[in-house]
Amino acid sequence: MSNEQLTIIVPIYNESENIQRLKDALSQYFQKASVAVKALFVNDGSSDGSLEKLKSICKNSHCFDYISFTQNKGLSAAIKAGFDHVNSSLTGYIDADLQTDPEDFELLLEYIDDYDLVTGNRNHSRKDSFTKNMSSKIANGIRRAFTHDGMDDTGCPLKIIKTEYAKRIPMFKGLHRFLTAMIMLQNGKVKQVDIQNYPRLAGQSKFGLWNRLLGPLLDCFVYLWMKKKYINYQIQEKS
C-alpha cells in the first residue's frame, strides 16, 4: 500500500449483509477519487461469514486488503490496528454501514493540505431515530466539554488523518471517540466539514444507549488522565 496516497480503514464486525454494497460503493469512489486510494478492511472477529466475503473481495481486486483479528476486540482496536498497518501518507476511516458516503472523502481532501485531521459533521442531515440522535447529541456535548475540541460531531465515521499523526495515537478503549482530541494533543490542526448522512439499510447497529452515553462519559475521565500524562516531542536535529 506504500504507493497509495490514501488508505481507507473499514472496521468490520458482523456486517455480512453490507459487504457487497460496501465493496460497490468504495469501488465507485475509487474510479472518481482525486488521489490514489485503497481500502483496508479490519475484520473484528466477525462470526456471520463476513471474513469469507472479505477474502473473496481482496483476492479479486488489488484495491482491497484485509487483516483479521482472532476474536472480537471492539471498534477502537480495529481502528488502531488499521493505523498500525497503513503505509500511505493519508489514512481515512469509514464505517461499514454506509451511513456516510465514500465520495464525501473528496470534501475532506480539499482541506487536508492545511490540516492534520479533517472530519465530517452529520448533524445537519442526520437520518437516525430520535433516541439515537438525542443520545449522540448529548454524548458529543459531554466530550466537547471535556476535550474543548470544538467539534459538533466527534463520533462521525468519516475522517481523513495524516498518517504520521494517526500512528502516534496511543491504544485505549474508546479512542474512536477522541481521534480529534488526540490529534490536538499532538499540536495538530483539525477541521470539520458538513457531509451527508443516510439511514442504515442492512445489518444492526453495534451501539445502544449504554455505550453512547455512559461509555463516552467514563472514557472522558480516561482522556483527562491521558492528557495530563501525554508526552509530545519534536525532533530538532538528527544525524
Side-chain angles (χ1 to χ4, degrees), residues 44-170:
D44 183 20
S46 297
S47 58
D48 68 341
S50 291
L51 178 57
E52 288 68 29
K53 292 186 177 182
L54 296 179
K55 287 181 177 180
S56 177
I57 290 172
C58 295
K59 180 180 179 181
N60 296 311
S61 175
H62 70 279
C63 293
F64 297 94
D65 290 317
Y66 79 92
I67 56 177
S68 185
F69 290 173
T70 57
Q71 57 185 303
N72 176 246
K73 288 296 184 179
L75 180 58
S76 293
I79 293 173
K80 183 62 169 67
F83 290 165
D84 291 344
H85 285 79
V86 164
N87 294 316
S88 54
S89 59
L90 299 175
T91 299
Y93 159 51
I94 192 172
D95 275 352
D97 58 19
L98 288 179
Q99 288 197 255
T100 52
D101 187 344
E103 295 192 18
D104 279 350
F105 277 117
E106 291 298 299
L107 300 177
L108 309 189
L109 282 167
E110 291 181 22
Y111 299 94
I112 197 61
D113 286 345
D114 299 319
Y115 295 88
D116 303 302
L117 175 146
V118 185
T119 182
N121 175 26
R122 304 162 293 172
N123 286 345
H124 70 107
S125 63
R126 292 295 288 259
K127 299 296 190 299
D128 294 315
S129 67
F130 174 79
T131 300
K132 184 175 180 181
N133 282 340
M134 285 304 298
S135 60
S136 293
K137 186 175 182 179
I138 294 170
N140 276 313
I142 293 171
R143 284 193 293 269
R144 195 160 52 242
F146 276 80
T147 64
H148 303 290
D149 61 10
M151 298 291 107
D152 298 314
D153 186 13
T154 57
C156 179
L158 193 81
K159 291 178 170 62
I160 294 180
I161 310 172
K162 288 179 179 172
T163 300
E164 61 182 301
Y165 284 83
K167 287 185 178 294
R168 291 198 293 263
I169 296 176

Side-chain angles (χ1 to χ4, degrees), residues 194-229:
D194 287 348
I195 62 168
Q196 294 300 309
N197 182 244
Y198 304 91
R200 177 184 266 271
L201 298 181
Q204 304 236 341
S205 173
K206 311 305 184 293
F207 294 92
L209 279 174
W210 172 268
N211 50 20
R212 275 201 192 94
L213 292 179
L214 184 57
L217 177 59
L218 296 176
D219 290 340
C220 283
F221 291 101
V222 175
Y223 168 77
L224 289 181
W225 176 87
M226 184 171 296
K227 181 179 180 180
K228 184 178 180 180
K229 301 292 184 179

